[in-house]
Amino acid sequence: MAVTTRLAWLHEKILQNHFGGKRLSLLYKGSVHGFCSGALLDRCCNQGPTLTVIYGEHRIIGAYAEESYQERKAASIILFALQETKISEWKLGLCTPERLFCHDNVKYNSTTNFQIELRNRKVIMGSKTTEDLGLVQNCTISIQDCEVFRCEDLLDERKIKGVTELRKSLLSALRTYEPYGSLVPQIRILLLGPVGAGKSSFFNSVRSVFQGHVTHQALMGTNRTGISEKYRTYFIRDGKGGQYLPFILCDSLGLGEKEGGLCRDDIFYILNGNIRDRYQFNPMESIKLSHRDYIDSPSLKDRIHCVAFVFDVSSMEHFSSQMIVKIRRLRRELINAGVVHVALLTHVDSMDLITKGDLIEIDRCVPLRSKLEEVQRKLGFALSDISVVSNYSSEWELDPVKDVLILSALRRMLWAADDFLEDLPLETGNQRKVIIKCAQRRKL
């Protein structure tokens, strides 16, 4: 039977982040391997940096060894106390594992101010240590259980190599992608979402990956104030002066709460390909059929082939009921019109306790998983249709982990577009009539 930790997920993440983003691998558990310093040292010496976690009745304390425990060799020790979600630390300094764990009945030395007596199931601390750790003045703590973890880098050399190879594979797949049936030369993806969700930032991020350096062609707002007021169709080159890639990202005015923002009718004119690049939106009314930027007879290549709803992951819990209703209604109309759509969650790296290692193991990351389920519950998207990304905003250098998220999200959009093209009726004009009919409805 596998030995499992008693450490709660939240406490594990706090400890991981506090000590430099480490993966914790359980080496020793007192209630399983015995409360004996010999058993602990046999399992934990020569294992690299380790984290000892001691469970008291009302608190968690422990010791982080920055170097590997070795027999009779002192290691640099940092003590910590974890109370609810707050962690405090105190540097104990150099200490041998035999003295730290009271091996062979080593007597408590007041100069060390800290000792773990496994056989007696207690921790003895000096008053100064207790005070520095922010604990109540109790110099002895009863041990309910004790665990020792090996601390490994979340992104070790093997994982970094795997991410790099995946990035290379995704780039190759996207560069050589051909739309289904060669029905169109390029896939058009419309980015829709509330103001400030990160639509322009996502385009900049995609372009940055293919350019090989961070770029900011599309202007971006700050905080949650969007800046896109024109309809933009962005063609992306593969490298400086390279060929255009087989997809186009289309940016638009953000969705407003009640009034303002992108007009509902304009959305369907965009979907149908009736609006030219650089059309200036009017939040109070949709485009006039007589406007110079109105295209009367668009072809299939001018149409939108996939819609990507873009949401700031940190704003989901603050969505108003009006915004939820608006997006749900819009999704229903897209479904009725046969338009495929997916969801994109941005700014995932801004979530509390999220590390870079979590971004390559999203399925195992509890907070990210809960956000995906929140989008599913509130807005009705299938989990398989939701991607997460960390856009480039203030960085100057590319990051392979971010690149993989961005490219994976883009690949999912292209797969959705292929589904749309494959499902087109033989007479594509029938599809056009459905969308125009949706655009002519005036009630939201």
Side-chain angles (χ1 to χ4, degrees), residues 23 38 90 146 236 277 383:
R23 178 185 299 280
W90 182 70
C146 174
I236 301 174
D277 180 38
L383 289 176

Side-chain angles (χ1 to χ4, degrees), residues 133-406:
L133 289 175
L135 302 174
V136 295
Q137 293 300 315
N138 181 1
C139 295
T140 302
I141 295 177
S142 297
I143 299 176
Q144 293 188 339
D145 209 343
C146 174
E147 297 176 345
V148 181
F149 301 85
R150 180 173 56 245
C151 298
E152 306 165 330
D153 290 335
L154 282 169
L155 285 177
D156 55 24
E157 185 176 338
R158 177 180 56 83
K159 287 195 174 182
I160 292 175
K161 182 179 179 181
V163 170
T164 303
E165 291 176 350
L166 178 56
R167 178 185 183 276
K168 183 178 179 181
S169 173
L170 287 168
L171 280 170
S172 176
L174 292 171
R175 283 167 173 152
T176 58
Y177 164 80
E178 294 182 4
Y180 174 82
S182 299
L183 294 177
V184 293
Q186 291 169 301
I187 292 297
R188 287 182 179 249
I189 301 168
L190 175 63
L191 305 176
L192 282 181
V195 174
K199 301 184 298 297
S200 300
S201 181
F202 178 68
F203 158 71
N204 284 335
S205 298
V206 172
R207 185 172 184 269
S208 296
V209 177
F210 285 97
Q211 287 292 306
H213 60 89
V214 177
T215 68
H216 297 289
Q217 179 179 343
L219 297 179
M220 299 181 297
T222 57
N223 298 325
R224 291 188 175 85
T225 59
I227 200 169
S228 300
E229 295 181 351
K230 295 181 178 180
Y231 177 60
R232 292 305 316 273
T233 57
Y234 291 112
F235 294 73
I236 301 174
R237 290 185 183 273
D238 187 10
K240 186 175 181 180
Q243 293 184 340
Y244 284 115
L245 291 159
F247 50 84
I248 302 167
L249 296 180
C250 304
D251 196 7
S252 62
L253 187 64
L255 300 175
E257 289 283 348
K258 295 181 180 179
E259 303 296 333
L262 184 63
C263 284
R264 169 184 165 278
D265 288 349
D266 275 344
I267 295 174
F268 291 96
Y269 285 125
I270 292 172
L271 293 175
N272 197 54
N274 294 116
I275 297 182
R276 296 184 194 278
D277 180 38
R278 299 180 189 271
Y279 166 70
Q280 181 76 42
F281 290 108
N282 181 349
M284 303 308 296
E285 61 179 4
S286 63
I287 190 171
K288 301 293 185 183
L289 303 189
S290 58
H291 196 283
R292 66 178 183 275
D293 288 328
Y294 181 83
I295 302 172
D296 184 55
S297 300
S299 62
L300 180 60
K301 69 179 180 60
D302 301 313
R303 291 268 309 278
I304 295 298
H305 310 113
C306 173
V307 173
F309 284 89
V310 183
F311 307 114
D312 182 338
V313 69
S314 62
S315 69
M316 286 304 305
E317 58 188 280
H318 305 297
F319 263 22
S320 67
S321 58
Q322 293 93 337
M323 180 59 74
I324 292 174
V325 168
K326 175 175 283 191
I327 293 172
R328 279 187 167 272
R329 284 180 176 175
L330 183 53
R331 285 195 64 239
R332 283 198 297 271
E333 293 187 338
L334 291 178
I335 292 171
N336 291 337
V339 179
V340 296
H341 50 282
V342 296
L344 183 66
L345 297 186
T346 64
H347 304 117
V348 295
D349 54 335
S350 66
M351 295 175 60
D352 291 338
L353 301 178
I354 293 295
T355 65
K356 189 179 292 186
D358 292 322
L359 297 182
I360 61 174
E361 295 184 333
I362 294 171
D363 291 341
R364 298 183 181 182
C365 184
V366 175
L368 280 176
R369 185 72 182 181
S370 67
K371 287 295 182 181
L372 299 182
E373 292 171 351
E374 184 178 12
V375 174
Q376 180 189 43
R377 184 176 65 256
K378 287 184 175 180
L379 304 178
F381 288 92
L383 289 176
S384 59
D385 289 334
I386 308 172
S387 300
V388 302
V389 296
S390 172
N391 287 331
Y392 288 108
S393 54
S394 59
E395 300 86 351
W396 292 101
E397 299 293 336
L398 295 180
D399 180 279
V401 174
K402 286 193 173 190
D403 289 356
V404 164
L405 291 178
I406 293 164

Side-chain angles (χ1 to χ4, degrees), residues 15-57:
L15 290 171
Q16 282 181 326
N17 286 6
H18 186 80
F19 291 108
K22 304 293 184 181
R23 178 185 299 280
L24 304 182
S25 299
L26 188 60
L27 297 172
Y28 162 86
K29 186 178 181 73
S31 57
V32 174
H33 303 114
F35 289 94
C36 171
S37 58
L40 183 150
L41 295 177
D42 284 345
R43 303 184 69 88
C44 302
C45 279
N46 302 308
Q47 293 289 336
T50 55
L51 185 72
T52 300
V53 178
I54 295 168
Y55 304 90
E57 187 175 357

